[in-house]
Amino acid sequence: MIAWPNHTAAWAAWRDALAGERMHHGWLLAGKAGLGKMDFALAAARELVAEPGVPQPAGDHPDIIVLTYGPKDDKAEKAAADGKPYDLARSIRIKQIRAMQKRLTTRPTLGQRRAIIIHPADDLEVAAANALLKSLEEPPQGTFFLLVVNRAARLLPTIRSRCRMLRFPVLTDAELGAMLAAQGIPADPAMLAAAEGSFGAALRYAAQDLAPVAEAIETLITRGDPGFTTRGRLAALIGPRADRERVQAVLELAQSLTARCARTTAHEGHRLKLVDTHAALVQLAVEAPTYNFDPAMLPFEIGSLLVAAAPASEAAHG
């Protein structure tokens, strides 16, 4: 079990509410990815459903329902049912919400309370979000919702307004370094800077060997690439057939390094370019999993966006 030093305030607020007479039925666990929000949700849900004198299972709990990415299509569903590897959907779908709502017509199995965890709730399809709203408006007795969100602004305002928010702060470099050391991972300064307080991002940095990628990204956004050499190196480091996980890790790294450079540069013109590039990288990260990008060309698209952020840079696709 990971010890999360950034959860102290969230636990205090949760337990204070749990001890009160009227526990709020909807909660938003908000903060950037990689801050342990799902770990908190699972542990908090166990505290919520536990009752004195009622034995609680050590493994899966019948009164804790977790909704996350499911199989992407009928073929993937069959593979999942057969215990075989399968591809995940890129959103949480309305049929998952409908199935959850059917379970809410019955009483909790062990006690008086039931917890519904949705992770990440900011990836709900529009129809799924609208269906969830109905349950949040009129929750069954003893039912509580914990919505784990990385980008709370993407949720429907009507959902946000019906939930109490718990914010999870980023980790300090010292906290992050200690957590990495506990996992046997040396924390070099470049990793800490790129992670920007996210333990999950630091783990991906190590697992994906992103140090040389980070070096290429920093070169592109600070010095440009007149001869196309660095873009070619970045593409080779990413790989011509990189899987979704690696592409997303690189895009997250590019966003972090671009944002950090925007905060530290002394040149207003460069800062504005970096802000525009950061927005374009965020949009590309949203589109890349769902649009039919040529996998071999996507690394060059990332490189071209980064070059556009450099001082006196060439055109983005130049």
Side-chain angles (χ1 to χ4, degrees):
M1 177 67 70
I2 295 175
W4 294 93
N6 58 327
H7 289 189
T8 303
W11 275 122
W14 175 262
R15 288 168 175 157
D16 182 63
L18 197 58
E21 293 184 3
R22 297 191 64 182
M23 178 76 167
H24 202 287
H25 69 274
W27 293 77
L28 288 183
L29 312 185
K32 69 186 296 184
L35 298 179
K37 301 186 300 295
M38 187 59 181
D39 283 359
F40 180 94
L42 290 168
R46 283 194 169 272
E47 289 195 1
L48 176 76
V49 302
E51 294 183 11
V54 180
Q56 302 292 309
D60 291 342
H61 197 293
D63 294 327
I64 299 175
I65 301 170
V66 178
L67 300 185
T68 188
Y69 305 114
K72 75 171 186 178
D73 51 27
D74 292 342
K75 181 180 178 181
E77 286 185 1
K78 185 177 185 306
D82 293 340
K84 298 178 181 178
Y86 59 91
D87 292 329
L88 293 174
R90 298 185 176 101
S91 60
I92 298 172
R93 298 174 172 174
I94 188 170
K95 67 178 182 179
Q96 295 172 267
I97 300 298
R98 296 294 190 209
M100 175 270 291
Q101 288 171 329
K102 286 183 179 179
R103 292 186 63 177
L104 299 188
T105 61
T106 63
R107 293 178 58 83
T109 302
L110 298 181
Q112 300 299 312
R113 289 176 168 178
R114 173 189 283 130
I116 313 297
I117 299 172
I118 302 179
H119 173 238
D122 39 326
D123 275 349
L124 284 161
E125 290 181 340
V126 173
N130 285 321
L132 173 64
L133 180 59
K134 295 179 181 179
S135 293
L136 286 170
E137 288 173 338
E138 298 180 6
Q141 182 69 29
T143 296
F144 299 85
F145 294 87
L146 291 86
L147 310 184
V148 180
V149 293
N150 302 324
R151 294 152 295 182
R154 292 185 59 187
L155 279 177
L156 291 175
T158 43
I159 288 180
R160 295 200 304 268
S161 68
R162 284 164 173 77
C163 297
R164 178 176 172 181
M165 185 174 291
L166 291 179
R167 295 192 180 276
F168 290 75
V170 297
L171 296 151
T172 66
D173 283 355
E175 291 170 340
L176 192 52
M179 292 178 71
L180 290 166
Q183 300 290 319
I185 300 172
D188 63 80
M191 177 191 292
L192 296 177
E196 290 198 308
S198 167
F199 184 57
L203 291 179
R204 284 190 296 276
Y205 186 101
Q208 294 281 352
D209 189 23
L210 293 181
V213 175
E215 182 183 355
I217 289 171
E218 290 189 328
T219 298
L220 290 172
I221 62 178
T222 57
R223 285 181 263 170
D225 188 27
F228 214 86
T229 304
T230 307
R231 271 171 285 187
R233 180 158 58 90
L234 177 66
L237 288 168
I238 296 172
R241 290 289 183 269
D243 59 24
R244 176 186 175 190
E245 184 177 353
R246 181 162 180 80
V247 169
Q248 289 299 315
V250 170
L251 283 167
E252 289 176 8
L253 175 63
Q255 291 170 43
S256 292
L257 294 178
T258 304
R260 186 187 68 179
C261 190
R263 290 194 299 269
T264 57
T265 183
H267 302 285
E268 184 63 22
H270 189 205
R271 182 180 297 108
L272 292 174
K273 288 183 177 183
L274 288 160
V275 170
D276 288 343
T277 291
H278 185 273
L281 288 166
V282 170
Q283 185 63 32
L284 184 60
V286 172
E287 294 176 350
T290 55
Y291 287 65
N292 291 322
F293 286 99
D294 181 342
M297 293 305 299
L298 187 56
F300 289 98
E301 176 71 14
I302 295 170
S304 293
L305 290 176
L306 294 167
V307 165
S313 65
E314 64 224 72
H317 299 280

